[in-house]
Amino acid sequence: MSSEGTSGHDADHTDSAASDGFLQRYGRRPAGVWSAPGRVNLIGEHTDYNDGFVFPFGLDRRTAVALGDRHDQVVRVSSGFSPDEVSIHLDEITPDSVAGWSAYPLGVVWALAQFGADLAHVRGVDLHIASEVPVGAGLSSSAALESAVALALNEHWGLGLDRPTLAKVGQLAENRVVGAPTGILDQSASLLAQADAGVFLDCRSLDSDVIPLHFAEEGLTVLVVDTHVAHAHATGGYAARRASCEQGARALGVESLRDVHLDDLPRAEGVLDDETFRRVRHIVTENQRVLDTVRTLRERGAHAIGALLDASHASMRDDFEISVPELDLAVATAQAGGAVGARMTGGGFGGSAIALVDVALVPAITEAVLAAFAAAGHRTPTVFTVTPSQGARRDG
Ligand code: ADP
Ligand code: MG
């Protein structure tokens, strides 16, 4: 049975896994422990790199990094995720010199230097990582890792960068070192999240607003269905969608699709080929849905945002074409089971779907999703609830 019930994820556990792992790997206690959450994007998909709007929240599943000082200029990284331990001199960290999972934490070190950190005058560190964010599930284990490491090094080295800048550091690491052309959504969510709230982010100005969600107060929770369908953002569909958006913006003579509005769509339809037009229509309508979601939450509460979540999924399925049968089935089953609303979340081509549901319906919808996947011959998904939680912080 892969349903995990309602919660039981406690941050202290991840922190002690990081501390204990540090002790085991390096034979001494760490000087500090920092952590950052994975994220669920409530709405606003693929809008980030189009200078648009997103509205994610932080998860109650975190990645922790334990840090210890060194007397030389070597950085060592290890993780419960892998038996490998990578050791490299600060001078030698470049986008080409690191690979595999260590490209995320070491990419952050490199990216900090691009934002002004003087690595010639800091001492090396030992880092050990522990995480309870599922990897590759569309819940951004990558940004949780980048954000925890970025905050830890920023504080340990006294760099004085603010959180929006640390989000850019994580994004630069992911773009240039890992090689995934992802936007600023994930790192902003992980760094700026607050308990019981979503982060409404304007990806052009990087202005953000923390919006209370009041899910628990309204008797609601968010159910995540991790389909275990793998996605790879460095290659394939994600990059192709990004290229389509750039092409659409060029053809329409705008800097980015942020500058295209609902009433521009008829003109766009005349100018663009059918596929590019549908890609553009997703971005334009999705930006509007993010704005509508934030306004609806404020004016009418969380029960009223369901239709926007449902419409977002339909747009990703039909116009942006980033869904897969498993995600469609999870969404349709949750909707049929009485969810307030449901949609795939994250970059697409696999990963997770979310459903906003009355707490009392969690067991029935969970069972229905498991049964529907079994009947369709899909791999058994993992179904669990998440609680909007605090962003990156120092824990110890
Ligand atoms: P997602 O962000 O949706 O979970 P990504 O493919 O963007 O998926 O990032 C997953 C990758 O991030 C992993 O393959 C691994 O390289 C790295 N990663 C995530 N969590 C950890 C961890 N705890 N330790 C080491 N590497 C990790
Ligand atoms: Mg990721």
Side-chain angles (χ1 to χ4, degrees):
M1 177 85 175
S2 58
S3 165
E4 292 182 8
T6 46
S7 76
H9 286 275
D10 98 56
D12 290 350
H13 176 75
T14 325
D15 290 343
S16 42
S19 287
D20 295 349
F22 188 99
L23 179 63
Q24 214 173 355
R25 299 273 185 146
Y26 304 126
R28 66 188 199 284
R29 300 219 66 85
V33 180
W34 286 258
S35 71
R39 63 98 188 92
V40 150
N41 194 20
L42 191 57
I43 195 159
E45 223 65 77
H46 286 256
T47 45
D48 59 347
Y49 58 77
N50 288 295
D51 281 351
F53 304 107
V54 295
F55 190 34
F57 64 80
L59 297 186
D60 51 335
R61 292 179 175 229
R62 307 179 72 85
T63 296
V65 56
L67 178 153
D69 205 6
R70 292 178 62 93
H71 298 293
D72 56 16
Q73 284 216 301
V74 168
V75 175
R76 264 198 304 184
V77 282
S78 62
S79 168
F81 175 82
S82 158
D84 304 339
E85 183 180 301
V86 178
S87 185
I88 186 168
H89 194 278
L90 276 168
D91 279 355
E92 288 165 3
I93 302 175
T94 69
D96 298 323
S97 67
V98 298
W101 68 265
S102 71
Y104 293 86
L106 296 173
V108 166
V109 174
W110 175 82
L112 284 167
Q114 312 313 302
F115 280 86
D118 180 3
L119 298 188
H121 292 99
V122 296
R123 285 203 304 236
V125 288
D126 287 334
L127 302 174
H128 182 77
I129 294 143
S131 179
E132 54 188 20
V133 183
V135 169
L139 303 178
S140 213
S141 68
S142 56
L145 173 52
E146 290 151 4
S147 301
V149 170
L151 188 71
L153 293 176
N154 185 55
E155 294 187 2
H156 179 70
W157 283 337
L159 303 176
L161 300 174
D162 63 13
R163 284 174 184 247
T165 305
L166 293 177
K168 290 189 201 168
V169 164
Q171 185 195 13
L172 185 65
E174 188 140 352
N175 291 170
R176 292 287 307 285
V177 184
V178 176
T182 49
I184 193 77
L185 158 66
D186 299 347
Q187 296 80 8
S188 300
S190 187
L191 282 153
L192 302 175
Q194 297 286 337
D196 196 28
V199 180
F200 172 45
L201 178 72
D202 178 336
C203 299
R204 173 168 273 170
S205 66
L206 296 185
D207 287 342
S208 62
D209 218 347
V210 172
I211 312 284
L213 294 168
H214 300 306
F215 288 164
E217 226 170 272
E218 289 202 41
L220 296 172
T221 189
V222 175
L223 198 62
V224 175
V225 179
D226 175 3
T227 64
H228 299 297
V229 177
H231 67 96
H233 289 337
T235 53
Y238 188 99
R241 293 305 178 279
R242 195 167 174 151
S244 287
C245 291
E246 283 162 11
Q247 188 195 325
R250 257 196 318 275
L252 294 170
V254 291
E255 190 191 322
S256 74
L257 295 182
R258 160 69 174 274
D259 302 312
V260 183
H261 301 282
L262 286 177
D263 50 12
D264 298 322
L265 285 175
R267 180 179 79 87
E269 190 165 17
V271 173
L272 303 172
D273 65 84
D274 173 63
E275 186 183 283
T276 309
F277 172 66
R278 288 184 293 112
R279 305 295 187 250
V280 168
R281 183 166 59 187
H282 165 71
I283 299 301
V284 173
T285 58
E286 185 79 348
N287 273 328
Q288 188 60 47
R289 281 187 289 271
V290 176
L291 298 174
D292 291 347
T293 299
V294 170
R295 199 193 58 237
T296 303
L297 263 175
R298 281 181 168 141
E299 292 174 359
R300 296 164 55 209
H303 274 92
I305 67 170
L308 291 160
L309 302 180
D310 294 343
S312 172
H313 185 77
S315 178
M316 290 188 281
R317 182 190 60 209
D318 303 334
D319 273 356
F320 218 57
E321 297 182 275
I322 55 171
S323 192
V324 295
E326 289 85 346
L327 290 168
D328 290 340
L329 184 62
V331 166
T333 307
Q335 288 165 338
V340 169
R343 61 189 287 280
M344 55 149 282
T345 187
F349 308 101
S352 297
I354 55 167
L356 184 62
V357 301
D358 280 319
V359 172
L361 290 179
V362 167
I365 293 179
T366 302
E367 288 309 316
V369 168
L370 292 171
F373 272 60
H378 296 322
R379 200 174 149 190
T380 308
T382 307
V383 187
F384 53 95
T385 58
V386 291
T387 305
S389 298
Q390 203 196 327
R393 63 178 181 227
R394 181 168 187 163
D395 286 322

